[in-house]
Amino acid sequence: MTGNRKSNQAVYLINEPEDMNITALPAPGNLGQVFSVTVPPRITPTGPEPESGADKSYRIVQLDSSLASSATRYQLAWWKNRATYTVTTNQTNALSRNAIAGVLKSPIVNPGRYTCIQYEGPSRINSIAAVIALWANGDAAIPSAAGQGQVDRVASGTAPTHSIVGFVTGAADATGLTVLVNLQIPETP
């Protein structure tokens, strides 16, 4: 983590950042706040991500209210409106394919609700099915043109064609169609 990061460590949340799907923010000024969490060392991972000692950074955002259905865990989110901290999982509603905001971590987020997106640190992310067996450590994950809220693969050593979401650091899950990525999404919206 960099020492000149503009983050608010004293953030009041009702739920865990990876389980937030609320209709109103708990405190004025919460929207857009960024914060980092370091998982204590020697914690036994409870999920599919290596959590012991991991640094993860989040931003509080609002999900696009015009979405036809709820968003789910590990979907890629794009900026719809940076000024209002509104994100979307529908690429056609996004500012551009390269306007990456982060990864949704809550199991479900209803349209128009507030949640946290992760933009830095280890995270699983949805992958398009066509490349799930090809992922290897060091590959770059970029926003997919083929699927909503998914990433596509750029082999290690190949120039990426779009903004990089992060780099693969673990095995892909062919059943859940996810890949473990060290997220490197810019903090500035």
Side-chain angles (χ1 to χ4, degrees), residues 12 17 32 38 42 63-64 75-76 92 113 138 140 163 181:
Y12 179 71
T38 300
R42 288 180 245 155
L63 186 62
D64 181 3
Q75 274 190 293
L76 185 64
T92 59
R113 291 206 173 180
S163 293
V181 173

Side-chain angles (χ1 to χ4, degrees), residues 113-185:
R113 291 206 173 180
Y114 299 96
T115 190
C116 292
I117 54 170
Q118 184 182 344
Y119 63 89
E120 191 173 75
S123 175
R124 288 230 162 251
I125 189 167
N126 291 342
S127 169
I128 59 172
V131 299
I132 197 69
L134 302 175
W135 289 104
N137 282 348
D139 287 350
I142 63 168
S144 169
Q148 301 294 357
Q150 298 171 316
V151 292
D152 200 349
R153 174 183 175 266
V154 176
S156 180
T158 306
T161 54
H162 290 280
S163 293
I164 294 173
V165 174
F167 293 93
V168 175
T169 58
D173 174 10
T175 306
L177 292 179
T178 63
V179 63
L180 183 61
V181 173
N182 185 23
L183 298 175
Q184 297 179 7
I185 301 167

Side-chain angles (χ1 to χ4, degrees), residues 12-43:
Y12 179 71
L13 298 174
I14 294 174
N15 295 3
E16 293 289 326
E18 296 192 3
D19 193 28
M20 190 167 149
N21 178 25
I22 58 176
T23 56
L25 292 173
N30 273 152
L31 187 61
Q33 281 188 307
V34 294
F35 60 97
S36 298
V37 174
T38 300
V39 179
R42 288 180 245 155
I43 291 234

Side-chain angles (χ1 to χ4, degrees), residues 50-74:
E51 297 181 356
S52 181
D55 290 327
K56 297 181 176 188
S57 296
Y58 302 89
R59 179 183 302 276
I60 301 172
V61 297
Q62 185 174 24
L63 186 62
D64 181 3
S65 61
S66 70
L67 291 174
S69 61
S70 298
T72 57
R73 179 175 281 160
Y74 307 137

